[in-house]
Amino acid sequence: MTVVGGPTLPQERRLITPIPGPASQAIHARKLSAVARGVGTMLPVYVVAAGGGVLVDADGNSLIDFGSGIAVSTVGNSAPGVVSAVTDQVHAFTHTCFMITPYDGYIAVAEMLNRITPGAHEKRTALFNSGAEAVENAVKIARAFTRKPAVVAFDHAYHGRTNLTMAMTAKSAPYKSGFGPLAPEIYRAPLSYPFRDGGLDGVSAARRAIDVIDKQVGADNLAALVVEPIQGEGGFIVPATGFLPTLLDWCRANDVVFVADEVQTGFARTGTMFACDHEGLVPDLIVTAKGIAGGLPLSAVTGRAAIMEAPQAGGLGGTYGGNPLACAAALAVVDTIERDSLADRADAIGKTMFEQLSVLRAEDDRIGDVRGRGAMIALELVSPGTTDPDANLTKRVAAAAHSRGLVVLTCGTYGNVLRFLPPLSMPDHLLHEGLEVLAEIFREIR
Ligand SMILES: *Cc1c(COP(=O)(O)O)cnc(C)c1O
């Protein structure tokens, strides 16, 4: 029997069993004995269909999705344009390996990324499978171009779980602990974190970072500075205005490649096609993944032609990179974003969330901060009257949301950030219902 998801699923929160229900629990028991425990599961409801703003589980429960599978199903699960493009492609061919006998879809995705990423300069693109793999390749490319070894990443950064990217990721447990030795020549600089740095202005925060980089690394040794324009896993931290442009100017003046990791922020998520667009920032290289292909595995590095052309022929690539199905999906995703003006939709979702969550914050002193951009919004939870992180409360609120049929994610170095990443296909009535569920939970949990 074919299960049909997508936007035609009834757009409702519907709880038939406790969460997780018996069918999910039975599958989960198999998970525990078949899947390595290192691969964690936040909420063991097993999904059978999804679309619009809901996830439907094996027990027939319908949950409101404020997570988009971590900012991936931005255009919605099984969005019609994606389903039809991938269906056509799967009937035509599924793989030839672009490095062996290539195909047009890969080129079309490269042209599309060269067009929509910030800056009108000449660009090139290379395709990969995951965010981490693309970040690694951005570092390879920057090293090949500059012939320098060092890489700077920031406090609270998240860049992935492969050997190089876990070294670039800030948080030890669970990402790095026990997995060393880590890759060398990775250095860390302080971020702009307005809620926790006393509101230090962006330019001063950048100068502070540059001072650390100058003293502890030295521009002569530095290939690349890699930064998430809005940090994802680290806590949806929006740096103060001026922080990123000041870093970019310093990179330009010092022959350092400025790499924007837009894996989580890209593809209309923050109310513009890319988060860099908010400050008119034109990075040298931009790394994309997550929202790029509606859930099919695809990632990319796009950037200045001179830099991208530095690695020798055969130095980049991989068996699956730019898989034809994923490329077909990516073209349909960007068509959908542009046709349906989804960046504006993200902006509208963000305004609604920000407004309602700010009301909640005004009446609840455990909510220290409401922040984010577009449909990437978070609450940072603290002990009242302080900035002390309250990870326990965060866990309890998330668990309560899950049991009421609202999927929310947590993040943050201190585990005290609730993050919201609804698909942009989320109907307004579900968005409001989700926010109402959150308000109820904050009123009830003491
Ligand atoms: C998720 C993420 C990555 C890693 O992407 P994977 O596809 O999980 O390897 C890298 N950078 C950022 C900012 C991310 O959010």
Side-chain angles (χ1 to χ4, degrees):
M1 189 190 77
T2 312
V3 179
V4 177
T8 57
L9 278 178
Q11 295 297 302
E12 63 184 8
R13 180 169 61 116
R14 181 180 70 233
L15 295 182
I16 293 171
T17 68
I19 300 293
S24 278
Q25 287 183 36
I27 303 172
H28 195 57
R30 285 167 43 216
K31 187 253 182 192
L32 296 178
S33 57
V35 178
R37 72 177 179 136
V39 184
T41 296
M42 177 189 80
L43 171 60
V45 299
Y46 284 79
V47 174
V48 295
V54 298
L55 303 168
V56 176
D57 74 12
D59 293 281
N61 300 299
S62 175
L63 291 79
I64 300 176
D65 181 14
F66 272 15
S68 300
I70 323 187
V72 169
S73 52
T74 302
V75 298
N77 258 292
S78 300
V82 174
V83 170
S84 111
V86 173
T87 304
D88 289 350
Q89 183 59 49
V90 84
H91 287 299
F93 65 96
T94 51
H95 175 83
T96 62
C97 188
F98 187 75
M99 303 181 304
I100 306 300
T101 48
Y103 40 88
D104 188 282
Y106 189 117
I107 314 297
V109 170
E111 289 167 343
M112 175 271 284
L113 289 170
N114 294 346
R115 172 175 67 84
I116 68 172
T117 50
H121 50 280
E122 195 179 348
K123 295 174 199 158
R124 299 286 187 273
T125 286
L127 301 180
F128 305 97
N129 302 291
S130 69
E133 193 188 355
V135 171
E136 291 228 17
N137 277 279
V139 170
K140 281 169 66 174
I141 293 163
R143 283 175 171 162
F145 176 70
T146 59
R147 301 178 183 280
K148 298 190 279 185
V151 174
V152 161
F154 284 83
D155 286 337
H156 313 288
Y158 182 85
H159 297 294
R161 298 168 183 272
T162 57
N163 187 262
L164 178 62
T165 58
M166 77 177 165
M168 295 168 67
T169 290
K171 197 171 176 175
S172 178
Y175 304 125
K176 315 206 273 194
S177 196
F179 301 138
L182 302 175
E185 290 300 327
I186 307 297
Y187 300 89
R188 200 161 304 286
L191 187 74
S192 162
Y193 190 162
F195 181 64
R196 294 194 173 275
D197 63 15
L200 188 64
D201 71 272
V203 173
S204 304
R207 291 215 179 102
R208 179 177 66 176
I210 290 165
D211 192 49
V212 169
I213 298 166
D214 258 336
K215 303 283 187 307
Q216 299 184 20
V217 191
D220 288 354
N221 304 306
L222 186 57
L225 182 148
V226 184
V227 63
E228 300 157 80
I230 298 175
Q231 278 195 339
E233 306 303 305
F236 280 27
I237 304 163
V238 186
T241 307
F243 179 72
L244 297 169
T246 305
L247 291 173
L248 177 66
D249 289 347
W250 180 84
C251 285
R252 287 283 146 74
N254 288 281
D255 183 33
V256 173
V257 177
F258 184 98
V259 182
D261 179 348
E262 290 237 21
V263 169
Q264 193 153 157
T265 48
F267 301 97
R269 174 53 56 189
T270 68
T272 48
M273 188 61 92
F274 294 100
C276 281
D277 296 330
H278 289 286
E279 283 190 271
L281 206 70
V282 179
D284 296 315
L285 301 181
I286 181 166
V287 180
T288 53
K290 290 199 168 96
I292 191 174
L296 277 84
L298 186 70
S299 64
V301 181
T302 301
R304 292 184 190 283
I307 301 173
M308 291 296 295
E309 300 285 35
Q312 64 278 18
L316 305 177
T319 306
Y320 294 123
N323 168 270
L325 301 176
C327 286
L331 295 170
V333 161
V334 171
D335 269 355
T336 304
I337 289 173
E338 291 181 334
R339 188 198 57 212
D340 297 348
S341 303
L342 289 185
D344 295 341
R345 177 65 186 148
D347 194 52
I349 288 174
K351 287 206 166 84
T352 301
M353 295 191 106
F354 203 85
E355 244 172 57
Q356 301 209 17
L357 294 171
S358 297
V359 170
L360 201 57
R361 180 184 176 214
E363 60 196 38
D364 194 324
D365 53 10
R366 299 169 300 174
I367 301 175
D369 199 15
V370 183
R371 61 172 178 255
R373 276 203 173 115
M376 182 173 184
I377 301 284
L379 299 179
E380 179 154 359
L381 305 186
V382 294
S383 307
T386 73
T387 57
D388 299 344
D390 194 340
N392 185 42
L393 174 65
T394 310
K395 269 198 207 100
R396 289 167 64 211
V397 173
H402 297 164
S403 69
R404 289 171 205 211
L406 173 67
V407 177
V408 299
L409 317 183
T410 60
C411 65
T413 297
Y414 315 107
N416 69 324
V417 178
L418 281 169
R419 61 170 151 172
F420 312 120
L421 294 158
L424 305 182
S425 52
M426 173 74 61
D428 278 328
H429 74 276
L430 284 186
L431 182 66
H432 287 287
E433 190 172 335
L435 290 166
E436 191 39 52
V437 168
L438 278 171
E440 260 169 43
I441 291 169
F442 276 99
R443 283 194 290 268
E444 285 172 27
I445 290 189
R446 277 290 140 195

